[in-house]
Every structure is written in C-alpha cells, then in structure tokens.
Amino acid sequence: MLGQGGMATVYLATQLKFDRVVALKVMAPHLAHDETFSERFLREARIVAKISHQNIVAVYDVGEHDGYYYLSMEYHTAGDLKAKIEKKIDTKECLYIIKDVCKALNFAHAKGIIHRDIKPDNILFRPDRSAVLADFGIAKALESESDLTQIGMMAGTPTYLSPEQAKGEVLTNQSDLYSVGITLHEMLMGEVPYRAADPLATAMKHVNDPTPVLPPAYAFLQDLLDKLLAKKPEDRFASGAAVVA
C-alpha cells in the first residue's frame, strides 16, 4: 500500500502483461453504490488516459473488476510535494515546481479538462526533480451533487479550493490556478493561508478572508500570489502559460 484516502487506496503493483511496475489506484467500494459513479468515473478516466504530457502522470489502464473501479498509473519514486514541504523548499525550486504544474494545467485546460483538486499530495516528482501532476480529471467523477451539504466528500479539498468551488458555482480553468496559489503559499510559508475548525468554515474563508500578505523576504512574489488568489476568476491569470511567462 502506497497511500490511502476516503475515496481510494493506492497500491504498488505489477502489470503482468507488460511486466512493469505501476501505481494501482482502487476506488473505495462504497462509491459503486452511486448509480452515476461508474459511468462518470470510466468516462473521465478514459479521457485522462489519452493525455500525454511530461508534467502529467500517465494513466495506463482503467476499468472495473468485481465491483472495484481502478486506474493503473505511472509510478514515481521521488516522492510528492507534501513531503518536500515538510523539509522546507528553496524559493527557486518552488517557482520551478509552480512552472511545471502550470505547464501541465495549460496543456489539460486546452483539451477542456479541469483538474479540480490541485494540492501537494497530487504533485509528484521524477528522479530529475521535475514535477508531475496526478489525478487529472478524476475529481469530476467523484463530485457530489450537493457540494456544500457534503463538503467533506466534495471534489476538491476545502483547504485548497477556490471561492467559486466553495459557493458551488461553475468552475473554470482559473479555479485550478487559485489552488496553485494556495499551494505556492504553503511551499513558501510551510502552511496554507486559510484554515478553520471544520471543512465548511475553511471553505468560507476562501470566499471572505483577504489575500495573505507575504513577509518581506518573499515580497517580490506578492503580485504573483495576489493574481493567483484573486477572489474573482476573471481577475486571475488567463492561463497556465501566463503564469509560466
């Protein structure tokens, strides 16, 4: 077992047909009880399986076996961003990571795919230290019909979601870029800017609280952070490519 969450468990496995090591993500059995889940999951996963980009984790196979829905994905051995943050990251490396993530987002957004769950756990690394984004598009298959009444299970982690996600509004490419801003703040400061006692209160902080002010050492990044974390989607960067530029 490589990791476990409320929605899925990830195992280290071997794909016998090709004799290759993979990360096998098995969705929680209770999700199969949702009549629309299987259709959404397989549709979204097949779309993502067609994406090929150096900064996006490759999906090799998707399917269902004895009521268990799964994805077979590229396995990365260099850890995830969550672990890097705990050890403190050099500012220059933070920006390289943001650039890699935004290159991935720019590519996927051009194909009409919104990630919906950008967070350190979903940013992995190759041995050459380049970042790769995992779980692309799968969040849509998991999305609750009533986001705010089931916010603990909603698509997107409350700590990183955009104001429009918190309000249950239509998401755009800029929703992902907001989550990139939250991730950037966490890389620099070692903590996220908005946190409360429960998921709903945390979500509302994204809507109501002001943009965090960085300390003097990071003041040169304030404009970048402000534009990523603008409350209105139209006030954020137009694309991942614009962030990279």
Side-chain angles (χ1 to χ4, degrees):
M1 187 188 296
L2 296 174
Q4 188 171 32
M7 294 295 187
T9 303
V10 181
Y11 299 95
L12 185 64
T14 300
Q15 187 174 11
L16 299 178
K17 187 186 297 184
F18 298 105
D19 192 29
R20 65 181 169 194
V21 174
V22 301
L24 187 68
K25 183 167 191 172
V26 182
M27 310 312 295
H30 73 267
L31 294 172
H33 298 313
D34 179 346
E35 293 180 3
T36 62
F37 171 77
S38 59
E39 180 185 343
R40 285 181 294 172
F41 173 78
L42 293 174
R43 182 179 67 245
E44 292 298 320
R46 284 167 181 153
I47 290 172
V48 175
K50 295 176 182 177
I51 294 177
S52 179
H53 188 274
Q54 71 260 31
N55 298 117
I56 297 176
V57 171
V59 174
Y60 297 136
D61 189 25
V62 297
E64 177 269 338
H65 180 77
D66 289 346
Y68 289 89
Y69 292 87
Y70 67 87
L71 296 98
S72 168
M73 302 175 292
E74 186 179 12
Y75 173 55
H76 291 283
T77 58
D80 61 26
L81 182 55
K82 185 176 182 180
K84 274 186 178 284
I85 289 172
E86 291 173 357
K87 296 178 181 178
K88 186 66 177 171
I89 311 174
D90 173 78
T91 306
K92 183 179 287 188
E93 186 176 6
C94 288
L95 297 180
Y96 276 120
I97 292 169
I98 291 296
K99 285 177 70 174
D100 281 347
V101 170
C102 286
K103 287 175 186 175
L105 289 174
N106 194 68
F107 182 83
H109 290 165
K111 294 185 175 296
I113 300 173
I114 301 172
H115 190 287
R116 300 163 183 262
D117 197 18
I118 301 292
K119 59 184 178 182
D121 311 62
N122 286 335
I123 299 170
L124 311 178
F125 295 94
R126 300 187 191 281
D128 67 1
R129 299 173 76 181
S130 61
V132 283
L133 198 47
D135 278 5
F136 238 109
I138 303 308
K140 186 175 181 182
L142 302 177
E143 193 169 43
S144 165
E145 294 301 321
S146 52
D147 287 349
L148 290 180
T149 57
Q150 301 181 41
I151 199 161
M153 296 287 282
M154 71 184 293
T157 307
T159 311
Y160 302 92
L161 53 70
S162 63
E164 57 270 24
Q165 263 176 299
K167 293 187 287 185
E169 297 175 353
V170 175
L171 303 190
T172 66
N173 299 342
Q174 282 67 38
S175 303
D176 280 343
L177 297 182
Y178 180 93
S179 300
V180 169
I182 297 293
T183 302
L184 173 61
H185 183 281
E186 186 174 7
M187 282 196 287
L188 296 172
M189 304 303 298
E191 61 183 12
V192 293
Y194 309 121
R195 190 182 293 280
D198 63 77
L200 184 57
T202 298
M204 289 301 100
K205 278 181 167 288
H206 291 281
V207 177
N208 300 316
D209 284 15
T211 304
V213 177
L214 295 171
Y218 299 120
F220 70 103
L221 293 173
Q222 188 68 53
D223 288 347
L224 171 65
L225 189 69
D226 287 349
K227 198 163 179 65
L228 285 168
L229 294 183
K231 299 299 182 184
K232 297 179 180 178
E234 61 269 24
D235 291 336
R236 297 173 207 148
F237 288 93
S239 64
V243 181
V244 173

